Amino acid sequence: MPMNNPPSSVVSASKLGLTFETSDGPVHALSNVDLTVNKGDFVSFIGPSGCGKTTFLRVIADLEKATAGEITVNGMTPEEARKSRSYGYVFQAPALYPWRTIEKNIALPLEIMGYSAADRKARIERTLDLVNLSGFGKKYPWQLSGGMQQRASIARALAFDADLLLMDEPFGALDEIVRDHLNEQLLKLWARTEKTICFVTHSIPEAVYLSTRIVVMSPRPGRVTDVIESTLPKERPLEIRETPEFLEIAHRVREGLRAGHSYEE
Amino acid sequence: MKRVLHSWQGTAALVLCLAALASLPLMAVDAPSPFGTGTVVLVLLMVAGAALVSFTKLSQPLLATILFVAAHLAVWLLLAGIAGNEGQATLAFFLLVAASWLLAWRCVSVLSGIRPKSQAGDTFLRLLIPAIFGAWILILWEAATRGAGIPFIILPPPSSIGARLASSVPILWADVQQTIFKAVLFGYVVGCASGFVVAIIADRIAFLRRGLLPIGNMVSALPIIGVAPIMVMWFGFDWQSKAAVVIIMTFFPMLVNTVAGLAASGAMERDLMRSYASDYWQTLIKLRLPAAMPFIFNALKINSTLALIGAIVAEFFGTPIVGMGFRISTEIGRMNVDMVWAEIAVAALIGSVFYGVVALGERATTFWHPSNRGG
């Protein structure tokens, strides 16, 4: 199977399905998902809660196992990809360890993966600079604001050599002003690092502003209803959100969400 | 008027002074060596004067110093006057003791209101206030036992306990060596360490966790001190049998707490480790053990007091002629209550130091925990 993938594909799913067995019967979290994420893409997954967008991300990360269909990550199974440390995962909460300083938190994956002390030091410095946290390395997580903590957790995911960055509603708990600022920084970071990013969100402006492709999903069962290629340029100031082009894409996303959402019950 | 109400201890002290004046003398009429008139006048003047000063608007440190000196000098004169008159004190005597106590109370209230600017001043106050508080427990105890002539075997005065302590240092030291340095420390270290190791094994092996933990919870609820005579049968009269009791007492709290602590890390943190393809030992050392530290220190603190109780009580059931529990049980039989109290004082001191050292270790290790962050 891996041979059939074009070399530029990072994630490739076909007929992917995942069913949770619960005491109330089976729950179809994902059904018949076909999707390819190419190298260098910024793909957003958007949809109402329960549409399986987080589950899909967790399947890519091998934190959940698919029950049907095929998926490859970097041409490997998700488990092989996880064991070869091919992705960085940013959770909904920073999940920084409170007994480690910011520096030590960023060093955590590097220690586990056996990077040398000198290499660790250089990488910590570089990633702290990437997320604009230079000078905060010696602080403990609980001494920083929520936005700074989330930036530190992004730095932690960037510290080791993984080309794929999986982000699960990383800015969901932050206020809108901080979120705008972090979105802007994330775009710059993406441009500088040339990583492939899969980004889960439930905010339409966030998805349109950040992505090269937007995957619209709908619940019961979780499935892909639309994939929208963004026509926005790669260089995106915050003001782009008022342009007609931006509003048109946002409109299409909203239409897709509405079509997939059933109000029958 | 407002100030008189504010220093109600001063007002009450003045009232007590007047009542004492009305019910003089301080000792029964046939007391062998009654108070001199000069001493009585001096005590009354000091107490009443300090009470009046407490109404003024002097600066807080100066006011506290005046109250401190007057209250303690007055009560010292009163206590010194009991010598030779044990059990002869009258109502007036106790009224004056109570008045001095109220002044000391006022002094502590004033001290509590001071906000020192320097770190050293803050530390000094933090130590001074409980020290005055503790001293007055001893002073009131002394005045009550000697002034009212409470029988020695019911409650000896702190002064004779102190004298006994000072004159029996070699015996007490031998007892401490036997009980604390051998039985308690050995039992504590072995009990806690084995509880910890078994917890890690039980965490890895499901059948141990399912089988051992419910039993651990049950054994924790048993009065384990009941096994002391059996341990003496097994391990002989010397400290080894006491250490065995301590091991049994400390093992299960450590086991139960460590297992609970190992489950304390969050799902997200564990997913994070999984995303790094971290192996079992890396996850254990870098995530689960640090997250378990508050639980482990909880067990260490519980065990520090359990170990002391276990070793002392186990000595009641047979021991060579040395040890704190042995001393307590034999001296009470010989009516040497002051020696029993001296052992209790030593045990309390060692217990506090032991607990304090563990608590300091906890503060250094779990500084990150929300309950220790402060501010």
Side-chain angles (χ1 to χ4, degrees):
Chain A
M1 273 303 279
M3 291 294 121
N4 301 343
N5 292 323
S8 64
S9 125
V10 176
V11 178
S12 164
S14 70
K15 306 239 180 303
L16 193 76
L18 195 159
T19 308
F20 291 113
E21 295 298 339
T22 71
S23 51
D24 298 334
V27 172
H28 301 284
L30 288 173
S31 139
N32 250 339
V33 173
D34 289 304
L35 193 79
T36 306
V37 176
N38 293 322
K39 194 166 166 47
D41 267 358
F42 195 127
V43 180
S44 281
F45 298 85
I46 189 165
S49 37
C51 72
K53 53 195 193 295
T54 294
T55 308
F56 185 62
L57 208 65
R58 290 175 64 85
V59 170
I60 300 175
D62 189 38
L63 299 175
E64 307 282 356
K65 297 248 185 268
T67 49
E70 301 268 350
I71 181 164
T72 59
V73 179
N74 280 348
M76 298 175 268
T77 66
E79 190 181 352
E80 286 163 352
R82 176 173 67 82
K83 294 213 164 128
S84 62
R85 286 138 179 177
S86 27
Y87 66 85
Y89 201 105
V90 179
F91 292 87
Q92 285 170 4
L96 299 163
Y97 293 176
W99 53 85
R100 285 175 169 249
T101 59
I102 295 297
E103 256 174 26
K104 289 276 173 194
N105 265 291
I106 297 173
L108 177 73
L110 305 175
E111 286 169 17
I112 291 170
M113 298 173 192
Y115 287 80
S116 74
D119 197 12
R120 287 207 297 262
K121 196 164 174 286
R123 281 165 184 270
I124 289 166
E125 222 162 274
R126 201 191 64 214
T127 48
L128 274 178
D129 182 52
L130 267 177
V131 298
N132 283 342
L133 276 180
S134 301
F136 289 95
K138 302 265 186 254
K139 296 268 187 208
Y140 283 94
W142 29 275
Q143 294 170 321
L144 303 186
S145 69
M148 288 163 102
Q149 289 183 27
Q150 197 55 285
R151 262 147 62 198
S153 90
I154 294 172
R156 184 181 56 189
L158 293 172
F160 53 99
D161 298 312
D163 293 331
L164 177 60
L165 194 56
L166 305 174
M167 305 180 87
D168 181 9
E169 290 187 45
F171 310 136
L174 305 175
D175 67 67
E176 197 155 343
I177 297 161
V178 176
R179 180 191 270 227
D180 277 355
H181 180 65
L182 291 183
N183 279 341
E184 209 178 3
Q185 286 189 336
L186 181 60
L187 271 189
K188 285 187 185 138
L189 201 141
W190 173 60
R192 274 169 74 183
T193 57
E194 297 178 326
K195 302 221 177 209
T196 310
I197 300 185
C198 293
F199 189 96
V200 167
T201 179
H202 51 225
S203 155
I204 297 172
E206 188 171 65
V208 178
Y209 177 66
L210 292 172
S211 319
T212 54
R213 286 166 78 210
I214 302 156
V215 178
V216 183
M217 298 180 75
S218 79
R220 281 178 296 268
R223 63 193 187 278
V224 175
T225 49
D226 197 4
V227 178
I228 301 162
E229 299 282 341
S230 177
T231 50
L232 295 176
K234 214 171 171 183
E235 190 75 20
R236 298 175 189 181
L238 273 174
E239 296 75 48
I240 204 170
R241 297 180 301 179
E242 268 111 66
T243 60
E245 214 179 348
F246 184 97
L247 294 175
E248 199 192 306
I249 300 170
H251 178 73
R252 217 185 127 191
V253 173
R254 190 168 285 117
E255 288 295 307
L257 285 172
R258 207 169 279 160
H261 201 93
S262 63
Y263 295 99
E264 283 150 19
E265 58 263 71
Chain B
M1 191 62 205
K2 213 173 126 195
R3 252 180 249 150
V4 175
L5 280 179
H6 182 61
S7 167
W8 66 267
Q9 295 99 334
T11 320
L14 273 183
V15 174
L16 290 180
C17 271
L18 288 177
L21 203 56
S23 55
L24 281 174
L26 295 180
M27 289 294 154
V29 228
D30 53 349
S33 54
F35 275 89
T37 321
T39 319
V40 177
V41 172
L42 186 58
V43 170
L44 276 169
L45 279 179
M46 259 193 308
V47 173
L52 288 172
V53 170
S54 76
F55 302 140
T56 61
K57 274 186 94 173
L58 285 178
S59 75
Q60 280 176 324
L62 182 59
L63 184 56
T65 313
I66 292 173
L67 285 168
F68 180 83
V69 170
H72 292 89
L73 203 56
V75 89
W76 184 72
L77 286 172
L78 287 168
L79 287 179
I82 307 180
N85 299 320
E86 273 78 5
Q88 304 279 324
T90 62
L91 180 65
F93 175 83
F94 288 109
L95 287 173
L96 281 179
V97 170
S100 328
W101 173 56
L102 284 165
L103 291 182
W105 185 341
R106 182 75 219 144
C107 171
V108 171
S109 306
V110 173
L111 286 174
S112 312
I114 296 178
R115 296 273 166 271
K117 288 185 187 70
S118 68
Q119 187 75 39
D122 194 48
T123 313
F124 176 68
L125 270 187
R126 270 224 315 272
L127 294 176
L128 182 64
I129 292 171
I132 296 179
F133 210 94
W136 274 89
I137 292 176
L138 295 180
I139 289 169
L140 295 177
W141 176 355
E142 180 85 13
T145 47
R146 284 177 63 210
I150 292 173
F152 193 79
I153 50 168
I154 301 293
L155 186 62
S159 55
S160 50
I161 297 172
R164 189 61 190 240
L165 227 160
S167 65
S168 335
V169 169
I171 296 178
L172 289 170
W173 177 242
D175 290 346
V176 166
Q177 275 189 315
Q178 171 76 11
T179 306
I180 306 294
F181 292 144
K182 289 181 186 161
V184 170
L185 281 188
F186 180 83
Y188 181 80
V189 169
V190 173
C192 290
S194 50
F196 179 77
V197 171
V198 172
I200 301 227
I201 297 169
D203 179 71
R204 269 226 102 164
I205 303 170
F207 95 89
L208 265 183
R209 184 169 61 244
R210 300 220 177 135
L212 198 60
L213 274 196
I215 292 175
N217 282 316
M218 199 187 78
V219 174
S220 305
L222 289 177
I224 298 172
I225 202 64
V227 303
I230 297 167
M231 290 302 120
V232 174
M233 300 280 278
W234 287 5
F235 298 105
F237 281 108
D238 210 351
W239 63 271
Q240 288 86 348
S241 58
K242 284 81 208 170
V245 173
V246 175
I247 290 172
I248 296 175
M249 285 185 86
T250 54
F251 175 79
F252 286 101
M254 184 50 112
L255 172 69
V256 171
N257 271 285
T258 307
V259 169
L262 287 174
S265 55
M268 204 180 272
E269 282 79 6
R270 272 184 261 182
D271 275 348
L272 183 73
M273 293 309 250
R274 194 174 147 80
S275 82
Y276 298 148
S278 158
D279 65 29
Y280 171 82
W281 290 106
Q282 286 174 326
T283 308
L284 183 72
I285 288 164
K286 292 189 191 297
L287 169 63
R288 299 176 69 212
L289 279 182
M293 274 304 156
F295 290 79
I296 291 170
F297 270 100
N298 204 15
L300 286 175
K301 287 199 288 192
I302 295 170
N303 282 347
S304 74
T305 47
L306 278 183
L308 207 59
I309 296 171
I312 290 177
V313 178
E315 285 184 358
F316 291 0
F317 298 96
T319 173
I321 50 162
V322 63
M324 301 175 80
F326 162 78
R327 196 74 55 201
I328 289 174
S329 63
T330 49
E331 296 294 324
I332 194 82
R334 294 161 63 187
M335 297 288 180
N336 286 334
V337 193
D338 52 349
M339 190 60 188
V340 175
W341 279 96
E343 289 282 0
I344 292 172
V346 171
L349 180 72
I350 290 171
S352 309
V353 171
F354 196 177
Y355 189 91
V357 168
V358 175
L360 273 181
E362 179 182 33
R363 288 251 305 255
T365 316
T366 63
F367 62 93
W368 50 269
H369 195 259
S371 61
N372 295 333
R373 274 177 213 165

